[in-house]
Structure formats: structure tokens, C-alpha cells
Amino acid sequence: MKIDRVVLRIVPLRLRERFEVSSGAWQDRKIFLVTVHDGDRVGWGECVAAEDPSYSYETTETAWHLIRDFLAPLVVGRAFDDPAAVAEAMEGVRGHPMARAAIEMAAWD
């Protein structure tokens, strides 16, 4: 596969039921979707980071920044033998597993 481009989207979503944990409760979420394009083929991935850093240091905003400015440039324009090679191309970026997983999921899709 040769990744032509990576597209980032934030989709607002109202949850069917209020989601509650010890650190807070949510009725609305911002779902962060990533698409990886290879010619006419498109793979979808989701970054599961929350809007605030109460669960993890990663947030939708920090993941957006990491993907746009660091991770996407590592994979766009490159050819890969398989999706595992996409993950290997991003190994130089320390941490941020949710942002990296979003691109890897899209590559596997």
C-alpha cells in the first residue's frame, strides 16, 4: 500500500446514555476519526483519546497535533508492504499510543 494522504475528522456524538466514571460524567463526546488513503482505497481508524486529560495525557487536541505534525508526515507518500510496517514507521515518536493506534487501525482497515 502507498499512503497518499491522511485525513482527520472530529465528529460530535451524543451518547445514548450518560457515561459515568470516578473522574466525571459525559453525555456528549467528540469522536476523532482518521482515514488513510491509498488511491481509491480508504481505511478508517478511531483515536479513542478523550477531550480532557483526566484518564490519559493524550487528548483529542494533543492527538490531532501529533498526527498532523509528526505521525502523518512519517507515513504519507511512503509505500508499505503491510500494515505492520506502518506502525514501525512511527516508532521514532515516543508515547502517544492512542494517536499512533488510530493511524495503524486505519492502515489495517
Side-chain angles (χ1 to χ4, degrees):
M1 87 178 82
K2 181 176 181 195
I3 297 177
D4 302 323
R5 63 190 167 111
V6 173
V7 177
L8 310 178
R9 295 173 176 85
I10 298 286
V11 179
L13 177 70
R14 176 157 283 259
L15 302 175
R16 247 176 81 158
E17 297 179 18
R18 187 173 170 85
F19 179 73
E20 294 188 40
V21 293
S22 62
S23 59
W26 300 269
Q27 182 71 47
D28 297 294
R29 288 257 351 253
K30 291 180 182 173
I31 306 301
F32 183 178
L33 301 175
V34 176
T35 54
V36 171
H37 297 256
D38 171 13
D40 293 336
R41 298 185 304 173
V42 178
W44 288 82
E46 178 184 356
C47 181
V48 297
E51 291 96 280
D52 63 44
S54 59
Y55 175 73
S56 168
Y57 63 87
E58 282 187 272
T59 65
T60 50
E61 192 171 323
T62 62
W64 184 286
H65 163 62
L66 258 288
I67 293 172
R68 181 192 66 212
D69 297 335
F70 297 98
L71 299 174
L74 292 173
V75 299
V76 171
R78 291 188 54 191
F80 297 96
D81 292 332
D82 58 52
V86 174
E88 291 171 9
M90 298 183 291
E91 285 180 348
V93 175
R94 185 187 303 185
H96 304 280
M98 295 178 198
R100 291 189 306 169
I103 292 178
E104 185 181 355
M105 280 187 280
W108 282 100
D109 184 41

